[in-house]
Amino acid sequence: MTAAQPNRLRQNGRIDRTRPLAFSFDGKAYEGFAGDTLASALIANGVSLVGRSFKLRRPRGIVGSGAEEPNAIMQIGEGAAAQPNLPATQVGLYDGLVARSTRGWPGVRFDLGAINDVFGRVLGAGFYYKTFMYPRSWWKHYELAIRKSAGFGQAPEGPDPDRYEHMNAHCDVLVAGGGPAGLMAALAAAKSGARVMLADEQDEFGGSLLAFAASIDGAPAAEWAAAAAEELRDMEDCVLLPSSTVFGYYDHNFLTIAERCAGSPDSSVGGGVRERLWRVRARQVVLAQGSLERPLVFCNNDRPGVMLASAVSTYIKRYAVLPGRRAVVFTNNDSAYRAALSLAGAGAEVAAIVDSRPGGAGDLGLRAQALGIPVHAGHVVTDVAGRRRVTGASIAPWNGESWENVESTIRIDCDLVAVSGGWSPAVHLHSQAGGQLAWDDSQLCLLPAEARQANVSAGAGNGQWSLGECLADGLRAGAETVSRLGLKTAAIRVPGADANAGEKLIEPMWRAPAASDADRCPRQFIDFQNDTTVADIRLAAREGYRNVEHVKRYTALGFGTDQGKLGNINGMAVLADTLGKEIPEVGTTTFRPAYTPVSFGVCAGESVGELYDPVRTTAIHEWHVAAGAPMELVGQWHRPWYFPRDGEDLDAAVARECLAVRNSLGVMDASTLGKIDARGPDVVEFLERIYTHKVGGMQVGRCAYGIMLGEDGMLMDDGVMARAGEQRFYLTTTTGGAASVLSWMEKWLQTEWPELEVYLTSLTDHYSTIAVAGPNSRGLLEKLGCDIPLDKERFPFMTVKPAVLAGMDVTLFRVSFSGELAFEINIASNHALAMWRTIMEAGVEFEGAPYGTETMHVLRAEKGFVIAGQDTDGSVTPVDLGMNWLLSREKDFLGKRSLRRPDSLRKDRKQWVGLLSLDGRTVLGEGTQLVGESGEPAAMCGHVTSSYFSTSLGHPIALALVAGGRGRNGETIYAARPGLEPLPVQIVSPVFYDRKGQRQHV
Amino acid sequence: MLLIECPWCGPRAETEFSYGGEAGIARPADPDALSDAEWADYLFYRSNPKGAHRELWNHDHGCRRWFGVERDTATYRIERSYVLSHTGSDAATGSDAATNAGTGYSSGNGD
C-alpha cells in the first residue's frame, strides 16, 4: 500500500493505476485513480468521517457503494458550476475534483450543532412541530435558524455555466439496469429484432458482476458482462446508456433517464454536455435494477466504520481499497459471509462473524470457518464503541426476542463492522408505474406483484438472488417482452453459472436488543439520512400515528435522497412490532420519482436564457429594437412598450406619445392582435351563436365591435369583426386570446354544431396591422397616396375597404382604439416593415410619433374601452361592464341564458366604473382594494383594474369594479393604501375623454 | 405523460393536446325554456366517475381536430379514441377511428 493511499490494495480492482487523479475534500488534497468513485478514493485515503447527520450532527461515514448512500452527500465543484447533493458513491473521480461535505458547520470534525446530540432526548419525532409552535408570531425567527442548520449543501451562486440537453426517444424495449438480468433481457430482446435501450447507473455494464468473484461459462463474470455489452453495442437499433439512471416511470410507459456525460467516455452521444435527460416512450419495459442491502438496527449503528457488507465487498473487489483492517461481520443471512471472505482474501483480519440465526449459514459458513474466522451463531451486535470511528463491538447471545434487555458478554476490538440485514429488491420504478407490491415472508422483502403498465421485473429486483437465477430470469423477462410485441423469440441459451447451492434462508432480526429498553438505550438508527431512530417510530406510534404514511411525515423516515432505499423495510418492521401488527398490514410508503437526486440543470435542459420560452416578434420588430424601445412581454409576444427620445423615462415618453395622438398623429404596431378568417355557407349562423350582437344585420364592408361570452355568461374575449363578403368574415381577437378563441370556436363547430359548414383559419402571423391614429391620420394616408377616397362620407367610421396605399396592397379599416380619427392598415407581413418605414418618413411632416403598448393603454382608458383580461377576470358579465347595448334580444348566443341566473342578477354585483382621485394627483395602484368608509375595519367593495396619469386631461384616471357601482355615480369611496390613510376617490363614468365620441367620426 | 391516439395523426404525446372536459354534454336546444336549476345542471355538473370516462381532447398543436377519448380516470388507461359523430349534438356517440388496443402502449400487462 502506498503512503499516499494507505488503504489501496496492491493489485486487482477495476481502476487504472497508471492514471493518478488529484482531488480535494474539504480543502485537503488527495490522490485517487481513474476508475475510482469519490467514495472509493476517500476510503483509499483513509478518510472515514465524511459528514454530519441532518438533525443530531453525529459524525458519519460512508455506508454504501451506490445510490443508497445516505451520509456521503457532497457539494461537487465550486462557484456557479457547483452541484449540491450528490452521493460520493455515484461521483466518478476526475482530475481536479473539488468536494465538500454538505453538512457540518464550521466543519465536519468540529461541528457546533453536535450539541443537538447531547440534548438528544429533546429532539424526538415531531420536535420541530412541538417546540416551535408557540408563540406563533415567533415562527419567522425560528424558521431562519432552522433553515440555516438544515439542508444538503448550498445552491450554487450565479448561472450554471454548463450545458444540459433533452433527448426524446422511442424504443420497443427499455431495460433499466445492466447487471446480469438486464444484460440477458436486452440480449433476448435485441436478438429477436426489438429496438432496445439499455441504461445503467454505473459507468460500466455488469452491475454486481463488477464487484463479486463469480464466473459465467467458465470465465470471470465481468468479462462476460463486457462481451455482452459489446455485442449489444454492435447491434443496429440498440442504444446503450452507461452512467444513466432511470429515475422516473410515468403514465403510458413514459420514462425519464438522467445521463451523466462528463467523464463518461462511453456516452453514446458526446461533446460538451454535462448531463442529458432522456425522455423515453417504451412499448415494453424490463425492470432489472437489482436490490439494495439493508443495514441492521442496533445501538450506535451509525458510527463511521459501520458499512453495508456488500459495499465492503465492492470496495475491495472493484476499487481495490480496504475499508478496515480488523472487521466484525454482523448478519441475519448468508450473503454477508462473502464480505468476510473478501476481507480475509484482501489481508484484513475478520475478528468475528456474528450471525443472529441460531443455525448460522450454509456452505459459505463452512468456508469462513475453514479460514479460521470465528462464527458466533445465535448472537447479535448490541452496541459499538467509538465516536468518529468504530473501535469495538459488543456482542450478546440472542434468543429471538427483540424487546427484552440483554447484557453483552463479548467485546471485540475492530475498526469496521460490515452489516447485512437482508436485501430489498429495488421496486421503486415498478411502484412508480402503479404496480402492486407483495410482502414475501420467507425472503423478508417486498416483491413486485401485478404491474399496471407494460413492464416486467427481472433478476434480484424480482427476488432472484443467485447469479444463475438472475441470468435465467433476465432471459425470461426479455422473451416475455418479445412475445408481447408480437415478435418471434430468438433462441438464446442461458449461460452457465453457479446457483446459490447450500444457502440458508434469511431470518428476521429487525432490532437487536440492548442493555436498556428501546426508548432509553443509545440511539438505534433506522434512517441515517434523516436521523430517524427506533425510539422515534415508537414515539410516533404512542402519540397515535398508525398509518405508515403519517409516521413517515412525523419522523421524516425515508425523506431526502433516501426515498426508502435503506430504512424503509426496517422502519415498517419496527412500526409493525410496536403496533402489534404484521408487516404487510402496516404496508409501505409510496415510492415517488425521482429514484436518485436529479439536478435542476438537467430538468431545464436547453430551456434557459434566450431559449427559456419561445419568443414571438412582429414583422416590424427590428425597427422597434433599433429605435431603442423597451419591450413588454404579452404572452410570448415582445411588443414595444414605449419609444423614448433623448433619455426620456416611461412617464415622459408616454405623455409625449399620448399628446401626439390626440393632437396630430401616432402610429402603433398592432400586429399581435389575433386574426381569424371565417367563411362558409353557414358563417353568419355560426357567428350569431358565438357573438352577442346581431351579426346578420351587418352589410358587406361594415365593421362591428363584438364580444363573446363563456356559457357561464362571463366576458371571454372581444375584438372588431369585419364582413368581407356575404359568406366571409374577418375576426380579430385580443393578443392573448388568439389561440384560445380559435380553439373555442373550433370546439363548438366540431363537437356541437358539425352541421354548420364553416372554415376557420388563423391569419395572425400572415398579416400585420399598423394603427395610424390622430387628427392628421387621414392627411398622412393621402400623402402616401391611396387609390380610394378617405373622406368621412365615402369611407365612414366602422367600415373596411381594400386599397392600394403607397403602392402596396392593403386592407384599410376605419376603426379606432384611441377615440381619435384612426385607420388600421392590414398588410401582408412581408411588406409590413416597408410600409412602416414609409409611414415614419411621411409622418415627420405631422410631427407624428410611434407609440407603444403603454400609450395604447392610456388612450383606451381615457375612452373607457375595456381590455379583456385586464379589466375582466372571468367573473365579469357584459352587464357588469355596461355593455347591454351589445346583447341581442332577437337571438340566442353562448352564455345568454346565464345572464338570467340569480347570481348574474344580483344587485350588488361589481360593476365597471371610472374613479377620480380627489387629491387630483395620486395615481392608484392597479389592484388597489376599495372600501366604502375611511375607518378600519371596512368591508371591501371593489378593486382598481386600470390606472394611469392622463396627460390630455391633466389628472390621474382609474377604472374599477365596484359593488353596485353604476348606481353610485358621484359617490365618494376610499382606496386602501398600505401604511397610509385611505385615499378618497369619486365614482364617475368610465368614459373620461370625448364623452360624446365625436372625434373618431370626423 | 399520456400517449393519446389522435384519430387523424396517430399516437402523440399529451403535450400536443388540450383537454376539453366530459364528452356527451349536449347543449340544450332551447336554453330559455330551462329553469335555473336545469341550466345550472348543464353548466356546472359533471359525472366525475372513478373508472371509464368519455372525454373530449383537441389536437391543438397538431391537426386542430376535436375528438373523443375513453379513459379510465383511476388507471389512466385509454381504451380507445374516436371520431365524433356528425349526426347530432351528442358528441359521445362516435365510431371507433383508432384504439390503442394491441399497440402495447397502454395495455397494462400487454397481452
Side-chain angles (χ1 to χ4, degrees):
Chain A
M1 296 179 193
T2 64
Q5 300 183 39
N7 292 337
R8 181 73 70 181
L9 296 167
R10 284 189 192 285
Q11 54 203 11
N12 297 329
R14 306 182 70 76
I15 48 163
D16 184 352
R17 290 166 203 266
T18 65
R19 287 173 58 204
L21 304 172
F23 72 101
S24 77
F25 170 65
D26 278 353
K28 211 171 154 198
Y30 298 101
E31 194 170 88
F33 290 124
D36 264 326
T37 61
L38 175 56
S40 67
L42 285 170
I43 293 171
N45 286 282
V47 178
S48 54
L49 178 55
V50 295
R52 291 270 173 172
S53 73
F54 189 65
K55 188 167 78 176
L56 303 169
R57 300 309 172 103
R58 287 165 68 101
R60 289 287 168 78
I62 294 166
V63 167
S65 58
E68 73 285 357
E69 174 56 39
N71 293 335
I73 306 295
M74 301 290 179
Q75 180 110 357
I76 304 295
E78 291 179 299
Q83 278 193 307
N85 224 1
L86 294 178
T89 49
Q90 293 196 301
V91 175
L93 197 67
Y94 54 86
D95 205 40
L97 183 149
V98 177
R100 288 189 180 279
S101 56
T102 54
R103 285 167 292 168
W105 182 81
V108 288
R109 294 196 63 81
F110 177 74
D111 183 335
L112 285 175
I115 200 145
N116 284 358
D117 198 22
V118 180
F119 290 107
R121 290 302 153 212
V122 191
L123 289 161
F127 166 71
Y128 292 120
Y129 301 126
K130 291 169 188 163
T131 309
F132 297 116
M133 283 285 284
Y134 305 101
R136 214 170 147 186
S137 59
W138 281 27
W139 171 247
K140 53 182 179 249
H141 306 298
Y142 293 140
E143 193 186 8
L144 282 179
I146 292 171
R147 290 215 182 279
K148 188 172 191 296
S149 64
F152 304 101
Q154 292 175 323
E157 289 167 12
D160 192 333
D162 286 314
R163 274 184 56 206
Y164 302 84
E165 68 179 23
H166 287 185
M167 192 79 97
N168 293 309
H170 297 259
C171 64
D172 293 327
V173 181
L174 171 65
V175 181
L183 285 168
M184 277 309 288
L187 283 169
K191 286 187 173 181
S192 305
R195 291 179 305 151
V196 173
M197 289 180 79
L198 171 64
D200 190 271
E201 63 185 1
Q202 303 199 62
D203 57 358
E204 271 186 278
F205 288 94
S208 60
L209 301 181
L210 303 172
F212 293 92
S215 61
I216 295 178
D217 279 350
E223 284 178 21
W224 175 86
E230 203 52 46
E231 188 178 357
L232 287 165
R233 194 173 280 123
D234 287 343
M235 293 175 80
E236 214 180 331
D237 284 346
C238 187
V239 176
L240 260 60
L241 297 174
S243 301
S244 300
T245 307
V246 184
F247 68 85
Y249 196 145
Y250 307 88
D251 293 311
H252 294 192
N253 267 20
F254 183 76
L255 295 98
T256 45
I257 305 172
E259 180 188 3
R260 299 177 297 279
C261 308
S264 169
D266 289 338
S267 176
S268 61
V269 187
V273 174
R274 184 173 189 170
E275 286 180 71
R276 184 176 292 117
L277 179 72
W278 291 81
R279 301 150 43 94
V280 182
R281 187 78 72 171
R283 296 178 73 190
Q284 296 287 331
V285 174
V286 176
L287 299 175
Q289 294 182 298
S291 54
L292 298 165
E293 195 170 34
R294 299 191 291 259
L296 283 166
V297 179
F298 52 91
C299 296
N300 293 313
N301 58 339
D302 66 323
R303 291 302 186 205
V306 178
M307 186 181 274
L308 292 172
S310 58
V312 170
S313 292
T314 301
Y315 286 118
I316 293 171
K317 295 284 184 188
R318 178 163 185 194
Y319 301 107
V321 293
L322 194 57
R325 303 298 165 89
R326 185 177 157 88
V328 167
V329 176
F330 180 24
T331 185
N332 63 353
N333 68 90
D334 279 18
S335 70
Y337 284 71
R338 291 181 206 281
L341 299 174
S342 298
L343 282 161
E349 183 186 350
V350 181
I353 295 176
V354 181
D355 191 328
S356 66
R357 296 170 297 177
D363 294 349
L364 286 167
L366 300 176
R367 283 175 61 190
Q369 278 167 331
L371 290 175
I373 300 173
V375 175
H376 301 261
H379 280 65
V380 291
V381 171
T382 57
D383 199 350
V384 293
R387 184 168 169 78
R388 289 179 181 167
R389 178 79 198 199
V390 168
T391 57
S394 300
I395 292 168
W398 192 49
N399 61 7
E401 173 52 60
S402 267
W403 307 99
E404 282 173 12
N405 300 345
V406 294
E407 289 299 328
S408 61
T409 52
I410 312 170
R411 150 86 201 224
I412 302 175
D413 287 343
C414 61
D415 63 355
L416 178 69
V417 179
V419 294
S420 177
W423 294 79
S424 298
V427 294
H428 299 67
L429 291 178
H430 171 86
S431 185
Q432 285 178 23
Q436 303 284 313
L437 300 174
W439 177 254
D440 185 311
D441 223 19
S442 68
Q443 304 194 63
L444 300 182
C445 63
L446 287 168
L447 289 176
E450 193 190 339
R452 204 176 77 186
Q453 302 197 37
N455 59 279
V456 197
S457 294
N462 195 32
Q464 306 296 313
W465 307 114
S466 77
L467 179 51
E469 287 169 327
C470 278
L471 292 165
D473 202 43
L475 179 60
R476 174 200 60 79
E480 165 107 34
T481 62
V482 168
S483 84
R484 287 183 191 177
L485 291 165
L487 299 172
K488 191 170 173 299
T489 315
I492 299 176
R493 180 183 66 87
V494 181
D498 311 327
N500 285 7
E503 278 210 5
K504 283 192 183 169
L505 267 179
I506 185 173
E507 290 177 25
M509 205 297 291
W510 298 117
R511 181 231 171 206
S516 48
D517 72 53
D519 303 314
R520 288 180 182 78
C521 67
R523 295 176 200 286
Q524 299 179 311
F525 286 87
I526 301 276
D527 178 336
F528 300 113
Q529 187 163 84
N530 299 293
D531 275 342
T532 309
T533 64
V534 170
D536 289 333
I537 290 178
R538 287 167 59 83
L539 178 65
R542 276 203 305 279
E543 292 186 355
Y545 293 88
R546 296 284 187 275
N547 183 303
V548 67
E549 296 280 5
H550 293 159
V551 171
K552 168 181 171 172
R553 279 151 188 82
Y554 198 54
T555 64
L557 171 67
F559 276 24
T561 69
D562 181 71
Q563 289 303 307
K565 291 186 194 74
L566 277 188
N568 195 33
I569 301 293
N570 287 340
M572 278 169 66
V574 167
L575 181 62
D577 250 5
T578 308
L579 297 173
K581 289 182 174 178
E582 296 298 318
I583 290 172
E585 286 180 82
V586 167
T588 183
T589 52
T590 309
F591 294 96
R592 293 194 178 83
Y595 174 65
T596 47
V598 179
S599 71
F600 283 122
V602 79
C603 290
E606 304 92 338
S607 301
V608 292
E610 288 187 348
L611 299 178
Y612 174 68
D613 200 34
V615 171
R616 298 180 79 184
T617 56
T618 73
I620 307 166
H621 184 71
E622 64 174 86
W623 192 95
H624 305 323
V625 172
M631 293 291 155
E632 182 182 27
L633 258 81
V634 184
Q636 292 168 336
W637 285 106
H638 286 216
R639 302 191 65 180
W641 190 15
Y642 59 98
F643 292 86
R645 276 184 192 164
D646 308 325
E648 284 174 331
D649 63 4
L650 171 71
D651 291 339
V654 168
R656 177 181 48 74
E657 290 171 15
C658 285
L659 292 176
V661 174
R662 294 272 178 244
N663 298 333
S664 176
L665 177 68
V667 186
M668 187 183 68
D669 180 359
S671 304
T672 62
L673 286 180
K675 311 174 194 75
I676 298 169
D677 179 285
R679 62 177 79 184
D682 300 312
V683 69
V684 172
E685 175 59 25
F686 173 67
L687 295 177
E688 293 284 20
R689 298 179 191 183
I690 296 283
Y691 286 90
T692 65
H693 69 285
K694 194 81 182 91
V695 177
M698 290 171 65
Q699 308 270 316
V700 173
R702 288 295 302 184
C703 297
Y705 173 67
I707 59 172
M708 62 186 72
L709 313 182
E711 273 284 62
D712 57 3
M714 304 303 157
L715 184 85
M716 202 171 77
D717 205 78
D718 68 348
V720 168
M721 65 158 67
R723 188 161 194 175
E726 282 300 328
Q727 297 184 1
R728 188 178 159 207
F729 283 78
Y730 174 90
L731 317 170
T732 67
T733 72
T734 59
T735 297
S740 59
V741 165
L742 182 65
S743 177
W744 166 255
M745 289 182 175
E746 286 281 10
K747 183 179 185 184
W748 287 100
L749 209 47
Q750 293 179 34
T751 68
E752 199 71 22
W753 308 317
E755 73 280 5
L756 296 184
E757 190 179 347
V758 178
Y759 304 94
L760 303 171
T761 309
S762 169
L763 298 178
T764 303
D765 294 287
H766 306 73
Y767 288 93
S768 296
T769 305
I770 300 169
V772 182
N776 284 320
S777 55
R778 184 181 284 127
L780 173 87
L781 298 196
E782 282 166 350
K783 182 181 172 191
L784 290 174
C786 189
D787 70 336
I788 57 167
L790 298 171
D791 57 86
K792 78 174 204 183
E793 284 72 32
R794 283 176 290 178
F795 193 19
F797 185 55
M798 293 307 268
T799 60
V800 58
K801 280 198 168 101
V804 175
L805 182 69
M808 291 179 253
D809 287 328
V810 299
T811 308
L812 277 185
F813 293 76
R814 244 210 86 180
V815 296
S816 176
F817 197 46
S818 57
E820 297 299 328
L821 170 68
F823 299 83
E824 282 185 11
I825 303 163
N826 248 38
I827 183 166
S829 287
N830 285 349
H831 298 154
L833 185 56
M835 176 62 84
W836 179 272
R837 289 202 164 113
T838 307
I839 289 171
M840 283 301 140
E841 255 170 55
V844 172
E845 173 194 332
F846 305 98
E847 294 180 351
Y851 66 95
T853 51
E854 189 67 19
T855 293
M856 175 194 80
H857 273 96
V858 176
L859 296 173
R860 66 89 204 176
E862 289 171 347
K863 287 295 298 172
F865 294 153
V866 69
I867 288 194
Q870 171 159 343
D871 299 300
T872 69
D873 59 5
S875 71
V876 182
T877 70
V879 179
D880 300 334
L881 292 166
M883 291 179 171
N884 306 45
W885 58 278
L886 274 169
L887 308 175
S888 170
R889 293 172 181 277
E890 298 162 32
K891 62 162 189 175
D892 187 31
F893 52 83
L894 293 178
K896 186 180 190 184
R897 174 65 185 81
S898 287
L899 299 177
R900 282 204 289 122
R901 291 181 59 236
D903 190 66
S904 306
L905 298 173
R906 270 192 301 114
K907 292 283 175 246
D908 61 345
R909 284 189 68 82
K910 287 186 186 177
Q911 294 173 325
W912 204 50
V913 296
L915 289 182
L916 289 178
S917 304
L918 284 183
D919 70 356
R921 56 189 161 80
T922 302
V923 179
L924 301 173
E926 288 175 353
T928 294
Q929 293 294 331
L930 301 168
V931 292
E933 309 148 48
S934 62
E936 286 186 60
M940 292 181 295
C941 64
H943 65 275
V944 174
T945 62
S946 296
S947 178
Y948 313 93
F949 186 84
S950 166
T951 303
S952 307
L953 299 168
H955 59 75
I957 57 169
L959 298 161
L961 286 162
V962 176
R966 269 203 304 285
R968 300 168 67 177
N969 207 13
E971 222 175 273
T972 296
I973 58 174
Y974 297 88
R977 296 183 298 174
L980 292 171
E981 282 292 297
L983 182 80
V985 292
Q986 188 179 34
I987 299 176
V988 296
S989 155
V991 185
F992 297 94
Y993 187 82
D994 184 25
R995 290 233 160 105
K996 291 184 178 162
Q998 290 162 333
R999 297 176 67 91
Q1000 62 199 8
H1001 284 281
V1002 295
Chain B
M1 180 162 53
L2 305 183
L3 185 70
I4 298 171
E5 183 107 8
C6 170
W8 287 273
C9 308
R12 301 294 178 91
E14 184 183 347
T15 44
E16 292 188 20
F17 301 87
S18 61
Y19 180 65
E22 185 174 352
I25 309 293
R27 186 168 200 267
D30 185 4
D32 242 10
L34 298 186
S35 69
D36 285 335
E38 287 166 333
W39 179 252
D41 188 58
Y42 155 71
L43 205 53
F44 300 124
Y45 289 88
R46 297 295 180 265
S47 62
N48 193 27
K50 179 180 181 180
H53 187 238
R54 284 181 304 176
E55 56 203 23
L56 296 173
W57 285 84
N58 181 19
H59 196 189
D60 56 353
H61 295 291
C63 66
R64 263 169 55 190
R65 300 301 294 174
W66 286 87
F67 60 96
V69 169
E70 196 171 312
R71 185 178 65 97
D72 188 304
T73 58
T75 64
Y76 289 11
R77 184 188 153 110
I78 292 178
E79 293 299 329
R80 64 183 187 120
S81 37
Y82 54 93
V83 177
L84 300 173
S85 138
H86 278 232
T87 55
S89 58
D90 187 350
T93 54
S95 59
D96 266 71
T99 81
N100 279 338
T103 63
Y105 284 109
S106 60
S107 47
N109 267 329
D111 47 8

